[in-house]
Amino acid sequence: MLKVIELKRTVTDSNDRDAALLRGELKERGIFLINLMSAPGSGKTTLLSRTITDLAGEAAIGVMEADIASDVDAARIKALGAESIQVHTDGMCHMDAGMTRAGLEGMEDRPGIVFLENIGNLICPAEFDTGAHKNVMILSVPEGDDKPLKYPLMFTKSDALVITKTDTLPYFDFDIEKAASRAKALNPDIAVFPVSAKTGEGMRAWEDWLISSRGEWNDA
Amino acid sequence: MHELGIVKHVIKTLEEVAAENDVRRIGSVTLRIGEVSGVVVEQLVDCWNYFREKNALVRGAELKVELVEALTRCTECETVYKTVPQGKICPNCGSGSTYLLVGNEFSIKEIEAELNGDPPADGQGGRS
């Protein structure tokens, strides 16, 4: 005879607990973890490369590249002298807290900012807490300003939205105000940073946000 | 791909529950899935049927799904309407100031289980 056991647990319960645990462990180690999410080709690695160069001397930055395959991104970051490791998800469309913890074990244990470059995808990564202290999403100008309407969860879960490739604005019908207001309708607290990692325009505001967020986290 | 990850998480949670409740074997799992949770039920069942054979605790266990209809509430005129297919704009007053009441859930409601110490079930449920 089978007994019915009522659970009423959300499916991501065990991951949520693992993520909270990881957040605490990283705090002890002085590692400020940022989960960076976007579609493929939005300029994640280019944004990070510029950020690493600009913040040299201000913060030690490490990057964990999560991809289904290859290590081209990790090689680009390494060329800048920053610590970089490549994690393969073997076909999975997102990183969860357990995978993030395992990846971090392969990195040098020193205080600083670590970016987790999540799998390029606007859907699945939003559903799994990685244990990061901040979630940041990138939307590039060529993708269009309607994305908050199509992928609402991602915008709801992010603390900051970086609009990249603003140097291409003359060639696309992308309205920064529209994108920002659509994102803020879903998440009034989201910070929006239009940047061009190519020309450097807007980069300082994004970098200041990083440094001040880390400061607040450190003092909390 | 996404559903595969979800099934792995469900099984992990079930393993914890089994340890806490002294469960020997799970006969069925009931999930509550919101209409707009983004989960594709057919794919979820396929992934479940594949994965359950790899884990003694849930081998052969049936996956039952309770779909939860999505409802949205308008903050302007307080109308509650069906989210699908209407969407975010209130059909009564045209306001976009609305929020999802239910329909995004994804939880494990209950399981049917055989506990350690239960006499072995005869016939189909007997393998362990």
Side-chain angles (χ1 to χ4, degrees), chain B residues 26-99:
Chain B
I26 292 173
S28 78
V29 180
T30 306
L31 301 180
R32 278 173 64 79
I33 299 181
E35 198 181 5
V36 295
S37 65
V39 174
V40 183
V41 174
E42 292 75 11
Q43 276 192 28
L44 191 73
V45 171
D46 280 348
C47 290
W48 174 263
N49 290 344
Y50 169 75
F51 245 89
R52 66 179 177 186
E53 299 310 319
K54 299 185 176 297
N55 187 309
L57 179 69
V58 292
R59 194 162 292 142
E62 183 192 354
L63 187 70
K64 300 176 184 172
V65 173
E66 285 183 13
L67 269 184
V68 181
E69 183 180 62
L71 296 174
T72 295
R73 185 173 178 277
C74 173
T75 61
E76 297 289 331
C77 70
E78 307 204 337
T79 300
V80 173
Y81 62 90
K82 289 180 183 180
T83 313
V84 180
Q86 179 65 23
K88 224 179 132 34
I89 305 300
C90 174
N92 184 45
C93 72
S95 166
S97 176
T98 60
Y99 65 94

Side-chain angles (χ1 to χ4, degrees), chain A residues 92-115:
Chain A
M92 290 272 276
C93 52
H94 63 271
M95 289 286 286
D96 62 20
M99 293 156 86
T100 305
R101 173 182 281 113
L104 284 166
E105 275 165 13
M107 295 190 86
E108 231 179 280
D109 198 9
R110 59 167 177 179
I113 300 174
V114 170
F115 287 96

Side-chain angles (χ1 to χ4, degrees), chain A residues 1-11 14-15 17-18 91-94 96 124 127-128, chain B residues 1-2 5-6 9-10 13 16-17 20 23 25 27 106-115:
Chain A
M1 192 59 205
L2 295 176
K3 183 189 167 196
V4 173
I5 301 176
E6 281 194 31
L7 300 180
K8 298 199 179 106
R9 294 210 199 188
T10 65
V11 163
S14 66
N15 184 59
R17 263 175 291 134
D18 204 14
M92 290 272 276
C93 52
H94 63 271
D96 62 20
C124 318
E127 302 204 17
F128 292 87
Chain B
M1 281 190 298
H2 185 62
I6 288 170
H9 280 286
V10 169
T13 302
E16 291 172 11
V17 169
E20 287 161 18
V23 168
R25 196 185 66 86
F106 189 3
S107 58
I108 308 175
K109 184 190 173 197
E110 62 188 27
I111 58 173
E112 288 182 288
E114 216 175 87
L115 304 187

Side-chain angles (χ1 to χ4, degrees), chain A residues 87-161:
Chain A
V87 177
H88 285 154
T89 60
D90 293 328
M92 290 272 276
C93 52
H94 63 271
M95 289 286 286
D96 62 20
M99 293 156 86
T100 305
R101 173 182 281 113
L104 284 166
E105 275 165 13
M107 295 190 86
E108 231 179 280
D109 198 9
R110 59 167 177 179
I113 300 174
V114 170
F115 287 96
L116 161 61
E117 242 197 86
N118 215 315
I119 302 285
N121 167 345
L122 290 180
I123 308 167
C124 318
E127 302 204 17
F128 292 87
D129 190 342
T130 57
H133 301 99
K134 293 280 182 197
N135 290 313
V136 174
M137 75 164 289
I138 297 177
L139 176 64
S140 66
V141 165
E143 289 170 66
D145 55 29
D146 58 353
K147 290 302 167 288
L149 306 174
K150 295 187 176 177
Y151 303 95
L153 185 66
M154 180 66 75
F155 290 84
T156 311
K157 292 282 175 81
S158 296
D159 299 294
L161 166 65

Side-chain angles (χ1 to χ4, degrees), chain A:
Chain A
M1 192 59 205
L2 295 176
K3 183 189 167 196
V4 173
I5 301 176
E6 281 194 31
L7 300 180
K8 298 199 179 106
R9 294 210 199 188
T10 65
V11 163
T12 50
D13 246 17
S14 66
N15 184 59
D16 290 350
R17 263 175 291 134
D18 204 14
L21 212 62
L22 180 60
R23 242 187 305 282
E25 290 164 17
L26 293 175
K27 181 79 199 269
E28 298 281 303
R29 292 159 59 185
I31 295 173
F32 185 51
L33 181 66
I34 295 187
N35 176 26
L36 197 58
M37 301 178 285
S38 80
S42 62
K44 278 194 291 283
T45 310
T46 304
L47 177 77
L48 284 183
S49 301
R50 179 84 191 214
T51 306
I52 289 166
T53 311
D54 290 352
L55 291 183
E58 279 184 74
I61 294 182
V63 181
M64 176 160 51
E65 304 278 354
D67 283 299
I68 287 174
S70 114
D71 63 352
V72 288
D73 284 347
R76 272 175 74 188
I77 297 291
K78 221 164 246 167
L80 298 169
E83 195 190 3
S84 163
I85 57 159
Q86 181 78 50
V87 177
H88 285 154
T89 60
D90 293 328
M92 290 272 276
C93 52
H94 63 271
M95 289 286 286
D96 62 20
M99 293 156 86
T100 305
R101 173 182 281 113
L104 284 166
E105 275 165 13
M107 295 190 86
E108 231 179 280
D109 198 9
R110 59 167 177 179
I113 300 174
V114 170
F115 287 96
L116 161 61
E117 242 197 86
N118 215 315
I119 302 285
N121 167 345
L122 290 180
I123 308 167
C124 318
E127 302 204 17
F128 292 87
D129 190 342
T130 57
H133 301 99
K134 293 280 182 197
N135 290 313
V136 174
M137 75 164 289
I138 297 177
L139 176 64
S140 66
V141 165
E143 289 170 66
D145 55 29
D146 58 353
K147 290 302 167 288
L149 306 174
K150 295 187 176 177
Y151 303 95
L153 185 66
M154 180 66 75
F155 290 84
T156 311
K157 292 282 175 81
S158 296
D159 299 294
L161 166 65
V162 182
I163 299 175
T164 56
K165 308 189 188 179
T166 55
D167 51 292
T168 68
L169 275 169
Y171 310 103
F172 293 95
D173 294 326
F174 188 102
D175 185 330
I176 288 191
E177 289 307 313
K178 251 187 210 164
S181 68
R182 282 165 177 167
K184 281 183 189 281
L186 295 164
N187 178 359
D189 298 327
I190 198 167
V192 181
F193 302 104
V195 306
S196 165
K198 198 171 175 187
T199 67
E201 189 191 5
M203 286 297 291
R204 196 61 235 186
W206 146 247
E207 288 154 3
D208 284 345
W209 179 86
L210 273 179
I211 297 295
S212 67
S213 302
R214 184 193 173 204
E216 284 162 25
W217 165 81
N218 209 28
D219 298 339

